[in-house]
Amino acid sequence: MGPTASGKSSRAVEEALTRNGEIISVDSRQVYRELNIGTEKITNEEMHGIPHHLIDIRNPEENYSAGDFVTDATRLIEEVSARGKLPILVGGTHFYFNALLHGLPARVDANPKLREELEKLPTEELVARITRLDPRRAGELDSQNRRRLIRALEIIEAKGKVPARASSPSNYRAEWIVIDPPKEELRARIDTRLANALARGLIDEVRHVREQVGDTRLNELGLEYKIVGEFLRGERTEASLLPTLSAKLWQYARRQKAWLRKLNDESS
């Protein structure tokens, strides 16, 4: 585990090579085909022959839920273990980790009236509300995924700060490896990652995905796709992309770091 751009993928490969492991991705966006540059998806060369699971298993227009992840990850953990290999879970989607280890949130029906009201609010206000009502949940969510933010507020409205769990915690014995670089190093890594992504063709990738899924779905695929989508619609300049993405991604990384600190405190 670790914040975005901290080097989780390469560290996981090192662990798999030395410990006879296979990797199970815990990333809510790398499940989608076509989202390669924006999600910094690991390449075949970087895998060094280590099997990677739950990458490129859905088309961008399809949904993939935490429930889908728990079902798939549970099956894969059993299959990898049965082969005598060590399952190594790696990613930054903390909500998926929580769902697998501690159980899925209880079923909450949609609230059309509340959803209609929330749809009118800017993304920043949605994040602020979740942070105020349930700080832990705020740290688990992609702050640019409006669909998940609105769904989280529906659950909080119905269940309170800590939603009841619909499934029991797992009995997995987990060894945690948390990569948490110092602030200055992580900020530099984020800037380098974004500059490389733009140089490698992020704008063309977003343009291609946008043609497939449209603007509403594009905004749900993460801040890289949302911000570049704004440029493609003429709502911002190309020169603004790097500084805006850097600031937004750093905000997200800070929330991830806060969640990891809370996890460490609870485990101590």
Side-chain angles (χ1 to χ4, degrees), residues 28 40 63 90 133 137 146 151 155 203 212 226:
S28 62
E40 201 178 23
N63 287 324
V90 55
L133 296 171
R137 192 170 182 82
R146 290 182 58 86
R151 181 57 180 157
I155 295 172
I203 293 174
Q212 290 182 268
K226 178 180 184 297

Side-chain angles (χ1 to χ4, degrees), residues 62-82:
E62 299 174 318
N63 287 324
Y64 189 80
S65 68
D68 294 328
F69 170 77
V70 170
T71 298
D72 290 342
T74 301
R75 170 182 54 81
L76 285 163
I77 288 170
E78 294 174 357
E79 292 176 358
V80 171
S81 299

